[in-house]
Amino acid sequence: GAGVSQSPRYKVAKRGQDVALRCDPISGHVSLFWYQQALGQGPEFLTYFQNEAQLDKSGLPSDRFFAERPEGSVSTLKIQRTQQEDSAVYLCASSSVMLDEGIYSNQPQHFGDGTRLSIL
Amino acid sequence: KQEVTQIPAALSVPEGENLVLNCSFTDSAIYNLQWFRQDPGKGLTSLLLIQSSQREQTSGRLNASLDKSSGRSTLYIAASQPGDSATYLCAVLKTSYDKVIFGPGTSLSVIP
């Protein structure tokens, strides 16, 4: 398809396990964002990539969270030693906008349908 | 720190009714404000974007207004339809160098 694809759609893991969430952005999109959305809340920014460079990871809640985009296309968000508070929907968004350093006007963003992560 | 709130949290209206969704933000110095729609189990779809210099934007049955001085935006939906049922989120950008800050959303149900 032509949209942002995320996999898996649902992930259930036991507390303490590691998980990996995948995002396939729209082909050619240079900018890629990860968001965390708790139930009943709006998305919260986690990290931003421009091509393969991770320019901002200030939203990652702890050092258990790690994101990469080694070839500037597919991105993986990894969560180590998962905890119950990690349960949320993780959204990925991509944009064709070439962002200069520090510019986050990021319009338009195209969102994937998210991965719903449940930690038991 | 910018905080974004949305009232009401949930709204149920009969089909055909006009309705208003509210968004408030604490820091009036914003770069732009955007309204999104989110269907259950789906990502976000951008509806309208208002730059800080603008007062309103319109798209079809949707009209969004912005009052920076009071820290408020409204999304007006005319002649609501069951297909409008979704969660509507507003999001503000403080400057072109900042991240987007989302509100918690208003869950709208339009009853046939």
Side-chain angles (χ1 to χ4, degrees), chain A residues 9 37 56 58 102-104 112, chain B residues 34 38 41 43 96-99:
Chain A
R9 287 297 319 277
Q37 186 174 23
D56 190 337
S58 62
I103 296 179
Y104 292 90
Chain B
Q34 193 165 8
Q38 186 173 31
S96 62
Y97 292 78
D98 270 318
K99 303 132 182 93

Side-chain angles (χ1 to χ4, degrees), chain B:
Chain B
K1 177 184 175 184
Q2 178 73 273
E3 292 184 3
V4 182
T5 56
Q6 292 186 246
I7 295 174
L11 180 64
S12 183
V13 300
E15 181 178 3
E17 193 164 295
N18 302 327
L19 59 99
V20 174
L21 307 180
N22 298 291
C23 172
S24 298
F25 44 96
T26 54
D27 187 345
S28 62
I30 64 169
Y31 185 76
N32 64 39
L33 183 144
Q34 193 165 8
W35 283 92
F36 290 87
R37 170 185 173 139
Q38 186 173 31
D39 292 282
K42 300 292 185 181
L44 280 66
T45 300
S46 178
L47 298 174
L48 291 166
L49 182 143
I50 311 175
Q51 299 290 356
S52 62
S53 58
Q54 298 174 323
R55 296 282 296 182
E56 65 178 343
Q57 283 287 330
T58 298
S59 176
R61 295 182 293 108
L62 305 179
N63 176 277
S65 67
L66 174 64
D67 184 344
K68 277 180 46 179
S69 61
S70 65
R72 293 179 183 176
S73 175
T74 61
L75 179 66
Y76 175 83
I77 303 178
S80 58
Q81 302 172 359
D84 295 331
S85 298
T87 296
Y88 291 81
L89 300 103
C90 68
V92 300
L93 193 66
K94 180 176 174 64
T95 71
S96 62
Y97 292 78
D98 270 318
K99 303 132 182 93
V100 176
I101 306 296
F102 285 88
T106 293
S107 177
L108 172 66
S109 295
V110 180
I111 310 302

Side-chain angles (χ1 to χ4, degrees), chain A residues 4-5 15 22 34 50 66-67 89 95 108 112 115 119:
Chain A
V4 178
S5 178
R15 185 164 56 93
R22 177 187 170 104
W34 282 99
Q50 182 170 312
F66 172 77
V89 174
S95 170
T115 293
I119 305 300

Side-chain angles (χ1 to χ4, degrees), chain A residues 3-25:
Chain A
V4 178
S5 178
Q6 292 188 246
S7 61
R9 287 297 319 277
Y10 304 92
K11 177 69 179 178
V12 179
K14 292 182 178 179
R15 185 164 56 93
Q17 289 183 330
D18 298 348
V19 298
L21 312 180
R22 177 187 170 104
C23 172
D24 282 88

